[in-house]
């Protein structure tokens, strides 16, 4: 069974940094892509950054140049380095894996980790 667990969230001042981690277990399926999403209060969940199988990365315009997504394949870990954080980055951050399961693409989500950017 696929399980994703995020960690690394917390309270940080504007301009600060955080690194989120996503530990994946039960990864016996082919990965289509993986990434980080966030959901702020009263807003829809949105893509922050993702890695497409084979390596290309994709970022939301609002985080380009500030956030960096990376992965450690050997340890089934994914990271989101967040620098120069802004209050608008406050949200619950979720890691996501899109996996090929029996010929169908399925999304798996972690439970989320809260990030609060405030002075």
């Amino acid at each position: 069974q696929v399980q994703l667990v995020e960690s690394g969230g917390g309270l940080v001042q504007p301009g600060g940094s955080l690194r989120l981690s996503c530990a994946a277990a039960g990864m016996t399926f082919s990965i289509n892509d993986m990434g980080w999403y966030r959901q702020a209060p009263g807003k829809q969940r949105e893509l922050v950054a993702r890695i497409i199988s084979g390596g290309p990365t994709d970022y939301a315009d609002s985080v380009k140049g500030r956030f960096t997504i990376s992965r450690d394949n050997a340890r089934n870990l994914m990271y989101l380095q967040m620098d120069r954080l802004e209050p608008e980055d406050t949200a619950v951050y979720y890691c996501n894996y899109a996996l090929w399961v029996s010929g169908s693409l399925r999304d798996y989500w972690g439970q989320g980790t809260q990030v609060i950017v405030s002075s």
Side-chain angles (χ1 to χ4, degrees):
Q1 183 175 355
V2 175
Q3 289 185 323
L4 306 176
V5 179
E6 302 98 335
S7 61
L11 173 63
V12 63
Q13 291 187 343
S17 298
L18 283 175
R19 188 175 83 154
L20 306 183
S21 299
C22 175
M27 297 296 293
T28 60
F29 306 106
S30 296
I31 299 172
N32 187 72
D33 59 82
M34 62 183 74
W36 291 92
Y37 289 71
R38 68 186 181 187
Q39 187 166 19
K43 294 187 177 181
Q44 290 188 332
R45 191 173 297 188
E46 63 176 1
L47 173 70
V48 176
R50 65 175 179 163
I51 300 174
I52 301 168
S53 180
T57 56
D58 185 27
Y59 293 91
D61 288 342
S62 59
V63 307
K64 283 181 181 176
R66 301 188 298 120
F67 291 10
T68 304
I69 189 171
S70 61
R71 62 192 290 188
D72 181 339
N73 291 340
R75 299 169 62 193
N76 280 334
L77 291 168
M78 180 173 60
Y79 302 102
L80 183 68
Q81 177 66 40
M82 306 187 294
D83 298 318
R84 291 185 284 136
L85 282 160
E86 303 169 354
E88 293 74 21
D89 297 316
T90 294
V92 178
Y93 285 71
Y94 299 90
C95 70
N96 165 268
Y97 277 70
L99 306 177
W100 288 103
V101 180
S102 301
S104 297
L105 196 59
R106 291 186 59 181
D107 279 315
Y108 292 86
W109 297 91
Q111 83 288 352
T113 186
Q114 177 76 58
V115 171
I116 300 173
V117 184
S118 175
S119 55

